PDB file of all heavy atoms in Angstrom:
ATOM      1  N   VAL A 221      -4.701 -10.710   7.162  1.00 92.00           N
ATOM      2  CA  VAL A 221      -4.098 -11.387   8.211  1.00 92.00           C
ATOM      3  C   VAL A 221      -3.289 -10.473   9.125  1.00 92.00           C
ATOM      4  O   VAL A 221      -2.860 -10.843  10.222  1.00 92.00           O
ATOM      5  CB  VAL A 221      -3.062 -12.557   7.713  1.00 92.00           C
ATOM      6  CG1 VAL A 221      -3.879 -13.739   7.109  1.00 92.00           C
ATOM      7  CG2 VAL A 221      -2.077 -12.021   6.678  1.00 92.00           C
ATOM      8  N   TYR A 222      -3.116  -9.231   8.669  1.00 89.00           N
ATOM      9  CA  TYR A 222      -2.409  -8.215   9.483  1.00 89.00           C
ATOM     10  C   TYR A 222      -2.789  -6.859   9.093  1.00 89.00           C
ATOM     11  O   TYR A 222      -2.969  -6.665   7.834  1.00 89.00           O
ATOM     12  CB  TYR A 222      -0.905  -8.561   9.099  1.00 89.00           C
ATOM     13  CG  TYR A 222       0.098  -7.546   9.436  1.00 89.00           C
ATOM     14  CD1 TYR A 222       0.165  -6.928  10.594  1.00 89.00           C
ATOM     15  CD2 TYR A 222       0.973  -7.162   8.443  1.00 89.00           C
ATOM     16  CE1 TYR A 222       1.154  -6.016  10.880  1.00 89.00           C
ATOM     17  CE2 TYR A 222       2.025  -6.207   8.651  1.00 89.00           C
ATOM     18  CZ  TYR A 222       2.034  -5.657   9.950  1.00 89.00           C
ATOM     19  OH  TYR A 222       3.086  -4.763  10.190  1.00 89.00           O
ATOM     20  N   ASP A 223      -3.193  -6.065   9.978  1.00 93.00           N
ATOM     21  CA  ASP A 223      -3.667  -4.705   9.656  1.00 93.00           C
ATOM     22  C   ASP A 223      -3.243  -3.850  10.803  1.00 93.00           C
ATOM     23  O   ASP A 223      -3.633  -3.967  11.935  1.00 93.00           O
ATOM     24  CB  ASP A 223      -5.264  -4.781   9.653  1.00 93.00           C
ATOM     25  CG  ASP A 223      -5.823  -3.568   9.421  1.00 93.00           C
ATOM     26  OD1 ASP A 223      -5.122  -2.443   9.378  1.00 93.00           O
ATOM     27  OD2 ASP A 223      -7.103  -3.420   9.230  1.00 93.00           O
ATOM     28  N   GLU A 224      -2.283  -2.982  10.441  1.00 89.00           N
ATOM     29  CA  GLU A 224      -1.633  -2.149  11.544  1.00 89.00           C
ATOM     30  C   GLU A 224      -1.254  -0.731  11.109  1.00 89.00           C
ATOM     31  O   GLU A 224      -0.807  -0.586   9.971  1.00 89.00           O
ATOM     32  CB  GLU A 224      -0.298  -2.944  11.836  1.00 89.00           C
ATOM     33  CG  GLU A 224       0.314  -2.412  13.156  1.00 89.00           C
ATOM     34  CD  GLU A 224       1.441  -3.306  13.636  1.00 89.00           C
ATOM     35  OE1 GLU A 224       1.142  -4.476  14.098  1.00 89.00           O
ATOM     36  OE2 GLU A 224       2.586  -2.941  13.392  1.00 89.00           O
ATOM     37  N   SER A 225      -1.627   0.139  12.051  1.00 88.00           N
ATOM     38  CA  SER A 225      -1.261   1.584  11.822  1.00 88.00           C
ATOM     39  C   SER A 225       0.368   1.752  11.996  1.00 88.00           C
ATOM     40  O   SER A 225       0.854   1.075  12.800  1.00 88.00           O
ATOM     41  CB  SER A 225      -1.891   2.483  12.810  1.00 88.00           C
ATOM     42  OG  SER A 225      -3.335   2.292  12.539  1.00 88.00           O
ATOM     43  N   THR A 226       0.862   2.642  11.317  1.00 84.00           N
ATOM     44  CA  THR A 226       2.309   2.832  11.429  1.00 84.00           C
ATOM     45  C   THR A 226       2.589   4.360  11.192  1.00 84.00           C
ATOM     46  O   THR A 226       1.787   5.051  10.613  1.00 84.00           O
ATOM     47  CB  THR A 226       3.082   2.059  10.438  1.00 84.00           C
ATOM     48  OG1 THR A 226       4.278   2.684   9.948  1.00 84.00           O
ATOM     49  CG2 THR A 226       2.273   1.803   9.199  1.00 84.00           C
ATOM     50  N   ALA A 227       3.760   4.854  11.701  1.00 79.00           N
ATOM     51  CA  ALA A 227       4.059   6.253  11.410  1.00 79.00           C
ATOM     52  C   ALA A 227       4.608   6.328  10.021  1.00 79.00           C
ATOM     53  O   ALA A 227       5.449   5.585   9.475  1.00 79.00           O
ATOM     54  CB  ALA A 227       5.125   6.652  12.395  1.00 79.00           C
ATOM     55  N   VAL A 228       4.111   7.409   9.271  1.00 77.00           N
ATOM     56  CA  VAL A 228       4.674   7.711   7.993  1.00 77.00           C
ATOM     57  C   VAL A 228       6.148   7.875   8.069  1.00 77.00           C
ATOM     58  O   VAL A 228       6.644   8.549   8.979  1.00 77.00           O
ATOM     59  CB  VAL A 228       4.007   9.041   7.418  1.00 77.00           C
ATOM     60  CG1 VAL A 228       4.617   9.338   6.065  1.00 77.00           C
ATOM     61  CG2 VAL A 228       2.552   8.816   7.107  1.00 77.00           C
ATOM     62  N   GLY A 229       6.938   7.344   7.152  1.00 75.00           N
ATOM     63  CA  GLY A 229       8.296   7.461   7.103  1.00 75.00           C
ATOM     64  C   GLY A 229       9.012   6.281   7.745  1.00 75.00           C
ATOM     65  O   GLY A 229      10.261   6.120   7.706  1.00 75.00           O
ATOM     66  N   GLU A 230       8.315   5.482   8.476  1.00 74.00           N
ATOM     67  CA  GLU A 230       8.876   4.277   9.022  1.00 74.00           C
ATOM     68  C   GLU A 230       8.358   3.042   8.245  1.00 74.00           C
ATOM     69  O   GLU A 230       7.271   3.007   7.980  1.00 74.00           O
ATOM     70  CB  GLU A 230       8.370   4.161  10.428  1.00 74.00           C
ATOM     71  CG  GLU A 230       9.258   4.893  11.420  1.00 74.00           C
ATOM     72  CD  GLU A 230       8.792   4.928  12.785  1.00 74.00           C
ATOM     73  OE1 GLU A 230       8.024   3.977  13.146  1.00 74.00           O
ATOM     74  OE2 GLU A 230       9.128   5.887  13.542  1.00 74.00           O
ATOM     75  N   VAL A 231       9.267   2.116   8.149  1.00 75.00           N
ATOM     76  CA  VAL A 231       8.894   0.785   7.741  1.00 75.00           C
ATOM     77  C   VAL A 231       8.654  -0.044   9.042  1.00 75.00           C
ATOM     78  O   VAL A 231       9.508  -0.073   9.797  1.00 75.00           O
ATOM     79  CB  VAL A 231      10.021   0.072   6.911  1.00 75.00           C
ATOM     80  CG1 VAL A 231       9.609  -1.304   6.518  1.00 75.00           C
ATOM     81  CG2 VAL A 231      10.316   0.971   5.671  1.00 75.00           C
ATOM     82  N   PRO A 232       7.399  -0.553   9.228  1.00 74.00           N
ATOM     83  CA  PRO A 232       7.164  -1.135  10.454  1.00 74.00           C
ATOM     84  C   PRO A 232       8.169  -2.345  10.766  1.00 74.00           C
ATOM     85  O   PRO A 232       8.586  -2.911   9.774  1.00 74.00           O
ATOM     86  CB  PRO A 232       5.731  -1.675  10.306  1.00 74.00           C
ATOM     87  CG  PRO A 232       5.214  -1.112   9.092  1.00 74.00           C
ATOM     88  CD  PRO A 232       6.234  -0.449   8.240  1.00 74.00           C
ATOM     89  N   LYS A 233       8.319  -2.505  12.005  1.00 72.00           N
ATOM     90  CA  LYS A 233       9.277  -3.552  12.488  1.00 72.00           C
ATOM     91  C   LYS A 233       9.123  -4.984  11.785  1.00 72.00           C
ATOM     92  O   LYS A 233      10.018  -5.582  11.351  1.00 72.00           O
ATOM     93  CB  LYS A 233       9.202  -3.779  14.003  1.00 72.00           C
ATOM     94  CG  LYS A 233       9.787  -2.647  14.741  1.00 72.00           C
ATOM     95  CD  LYS A 233      11.015  -3.119  15.546  1.00 72.00           C
ATOM     96  CE  LYS A 233      11.987  -1.965  15.873  1.00 72.00           C
ATOM     97  NZ  LYS A 233      11.425  -0.792  16.417  1.00 72.00           N
ATOM     98  N   ARG A 234       7.831  -5.361  11.682  1.00 69.00           N
ATOM     99  CA  ARG A 234       7.598  -6.664  11.163  1.00 69.00           C
ATOM    100  C   ARG A 234       8.058  -6.746   9.653  1.00 69.00           C
ATOM    101  O   ARG A 234       8.637  -7.710   9.246  1.00 69.00           O
ATOM    102  CB  ARG A 234       6.117  -7.063  11.097  1.00 69.00           C
ATOM    103  CG  ARG A 234       5.592  -7.229  12.532  1.00 69.00           C
ATOM    104  CD  ARG A 234       4.053  -7.424  12.256  1.00 69.00           C
ATOM    105  NE  ARG A 234       3.285  -7.124  13.439  1.00 69.00           N
ATOM    106  CZ  ARG A 234       2.499  -7.972  14.030  1.00 69.00           C
ATOM    107  NH1 ARG A 234       2.298  -9.123  13.465  1.00 69.00           N
ATOM    108  NH2 ARG A 234       1.855  -7.609  15.160  1.00 69.00           N
ATOM    109  N   VAL A 235       7.717  -5.618   8.923  1.00 71.00           N
ATOM    110  CA  VAL A 235       7.977  -5.567   7.513  1.00 71.00           C
ATOM    111  C   VAL A 235       9.559  -5.549   7.393  1.00 71.00           C
ATOM    112  O   VAL A 235      10.184  -6.226   6.577  1.00 71.00           O
ATOM    113  CB  VAL A 235       7.370  -4.361   6.903  1.00 71.00           C
ATOM    114  CG1 VAL A 235       7.714  -4.286   5.361  1.00 71.00           C
ATOM    115  CG2 VAL A 235       5.805  -4.451   6.970  1.00 71.00           C
ATOM    116  N   GLN A 236      10.206  -4.705   8.261  1.00 69.00           N
ATOM    117  CA  GLN A 236      11.607  -4.588   8.201  1.00 69.00           C
ATOM    118  C   GLN A 236      12.317  -5.981   8.433  1.00 69.00           C
ATOM    119  O   GLN A 236      13.127  -6.348   7.750  1.00 69.00           O
ATOM    120  CB  GLN A 236      12.098  -3.769   9.442  1.00 69.00           C
ATOM    121  CG  GLN A 236      12.677  -2.449   8.959  1.00 69.00           C
ATOM    122  CD  GLN A 236      12.839  -1.564  10.227  1.00 69.00           C
ATOM    123  OE1 GLN A 236      13.318  -2.105  11.253  1.00 69.00           O
ATOM    124  NE2 GLN A 236      12.588  -0.313  10.212  1.00 69.00           N
ATOM    125  N   LYS A 237      11.715  -6.709   9.362  1.00 68.00           N
ATOM    126  CA  LYS A 237      12.261  -7.971   9.636  1.00 68.00           C
ATOM    127  C   LYS A 237      12.205  -8.882   8.399  1.00 68.00           C
ATOM    128  O   LYS A 237      13.136  -9.642   8.063  1.00 68.00           O
ATOM    129  CB  LYS A 237      11.463  -8.562  10.796  1.00 68.00           C
ATOM    130  CG  LYS A 237      12.267  -9.279  11.869  1.00 68.00           C
ATOM    131  CD  LYS A 237      11.521  -9.604  13.037  1.00 68.00           C
ATOM    132  CE  LYS A 237      11.579 -11.034  13.590  1.00 68.00           C
ATOM    133  NZ  LYS A 237      10.783 -11.419  14.582  1.00 68.00           N
ATOM    134  N   ALA A 238      11.017  -8.795   7.694  1.00 62.00           N
ATOM    135  CA  ALA A 238      10.888  -9.612   6.492  1.00 62.00           C
ATOM    136  C   ALA A 238      11.820  -9.177   5.465  1.00 62.00           C
ATOM    137  O   ALA A 238      12.415 -10.068   4.714  1.00 62.00           O
ATOM    138  CB  ALA A 238       9.453  -9.448   6.116  1.00 62.00           C
ATOM    139  N   VAL A 239      12.121  -7.899   5.437  1.00 58.00           N
ATOM    140  CA  VAL A 239      13.055  -7.335   4.321  1.00 58.00           C
ATOM    141  C   VAL A 239      14.461  -7.859   4.604  1.00 58.00           C
ATOM    142  O   VAL A 239      15.241  -8.269   3.800  1.00 58.00           O
ATOM    143  CB  VAL A 239      13.057  -5.784   4.365  1.00 58.00           C
ATOM    144  CG1 VAL A 239      14.141  -5.234   3.377  1.00 58.00           C
ATOM    145  CG2 VAL A 239      11.705  -5.253   3.995  1.00 58.00           C
ATOM    146  N   GLU A 240      14.821  -7.781   5.979  1.00 63.00           N
ATOM    147  CA  GLU A 240      16.130  -8.297   6.346  1.00 63.00           C
ATOM    148  C   GLU A 240      16.297  -9.658   6.040  1.00 63.00           C
ATOM    149  O   GLU A 240      17.351 -10.188   5.482  1.00 63.00           O
ATOM    150  CB  GLU A 240      16.293  -7.988   7.803  1.00 63.00           C
ATOM    151  CG  GLU A 240      16.867  -6.589   8.047  1.00 63.00           C
ATOM    152  CD  GLU A 240      16.537  -5.950   9.361  1.00 63.00           C
ATOM    153  OE1 GLU A 240      16.457  -6.806  10.340  1.00 63.00           O
ATOM    154  OE2 GLU A 240      16.425  -4.743   9.557  1.00 63.00           O
ATOM    155  N   ALA A 241      15.247 -10.534   6.315  1.00 60.00           N
ATOM    156  CA  ALA A 241      15.317 -11.942   5.955  1.00 60.00           C
ATOM    157  C   ALA A 241      15.572 -12.165   4.467  1.00 60.00           C
ATOM    158  O   ALA A 241      16.167 -13.134   4.210  1.00 60.00           O
ATOM    159  CB  ALA A 241      14.019 -12.571   6.520  1.00 60.00           C
ATOM    160  N   LEU A 242      15.025 -11.254   3.699  1.00 52.00           N
ATOM    161  CA  LEU A 242      15.115 -11.391   2.317  1.00 52.00           C
ATOM    162  C   LEU A 242      16.422 -10.955   1.727  1.00 52.00           C
ATOM    163  O   LEU A 242      16.903 -11.363   0.637  1.00 52.00           O
ATOM    164  CB  LEU A 242      14.029 -10.496   1.814  1.00 52.00           C
ATOM    165  CG  LEU A 242      13.039 -10.988   0.690  1.00 52.00           C
ATOM    166  CD1 LEU A 242      12.728  -9.735  -0.167  1.00 52.00           C
ATOM    167  CD2 LEU A 242      13.528 -12.082  -0.236  1.00 52.00           C
ATOM    168  N   ARG A 243      16.967  -9.907   2.389  1.00 51.00           N
ATOM    169  CA  ARG A 243      18.094  -9.279   1.876  1.00 51.00           C
ATOM    170  C   ARG A 243      19.256 -10.140   1.436  1.00 51.00           C
ATOM    171  O   ARG A 243      19.720 -10.918   2.133  1.00 51.00           O
ATOM    172  CB  ARG A 243      18.576  -8.188   2.764  1.00 51.00           C
ATOM    173  CG  ARG A 243      19.069  -6.963   2.252  1.00 51.00           C
ATOM    174  CD  ARG A 243      19.049  -5.776   3.099  1.00 51.00           C
ATOM    175  NE  ARG A 243      18.016  -4.888   2.739  1.00 51.00           N
ATOM    176  CZ  ARG A 243      17.763  -3.698   3.371  1.00 51.00           C
ATOM    177  NH1 ARG A 243      18.358  -3.437   4.491  1.00 51.00           N
ATOM    178  NH2 ARG A 243      16.948  -2.942   2.989  1.00 51.00           N
ATOM    179  N   THR A 244      19.668 -10.028   0.142  1.00 46.00           N
ATOM    180  CA  THR A 244      20.779 -10.861  -0.266  1.00 46.00           C
ATOM    181  C   THR A 244      21.996  -9.840  -0.352  1.00 46.00           C
ATOM    182  O   THR A 244      21.860  -8.551  -0.304  1.00 46.00           O
ATOM    183  CB  THR A 244      20.589 -11.362  -1.621  1.00 46.00           C
ATOM    184  OG1 THR A 244      20.373 -10.303  -2.596  1.00 46.00           O
ATOM    185  CG2 THR A 244      19.317 -12.241  -1.745  1.00 46.00           C
ATOM    186  N   SER A 245      23.237 -10.359  -0.458  1.00 36.00           N
ATOM    187  CA  SER A 245      24.312  -9.494  -0.583  1.00 36.00           C
ATOM    188  C   SER A 245      24.382  -8.682  -1.890  1.00 36.00           C
ATOM    189  O   SER A 245      25.114  -7.753  -2.015  1.00 36.00           O
ATOM    190  CB  SER A 245      25.518 -10.428  -0.397  1.00 36.00           C
ATOM    191  OG  SER A 245      25.544 -11.450  -1.337  1.00 36.00           O
TER     192      SER A 245
END
Side-chain angles (χ1 to χ4, degrees):
V221 290
Y222 161 53
D223 179 350
E224 194 169 282
S225 301
T226 147
V228 172
E230 274 176 23
V231 177
K233 286 244 156 50
R234 291 173 203 241
V235 178
Q236 248 175 39
K237 224 168 132 184
V239 175
E240 275 154 24
L242 224 212
R243 214 156 250 181
T244 61
S245 52

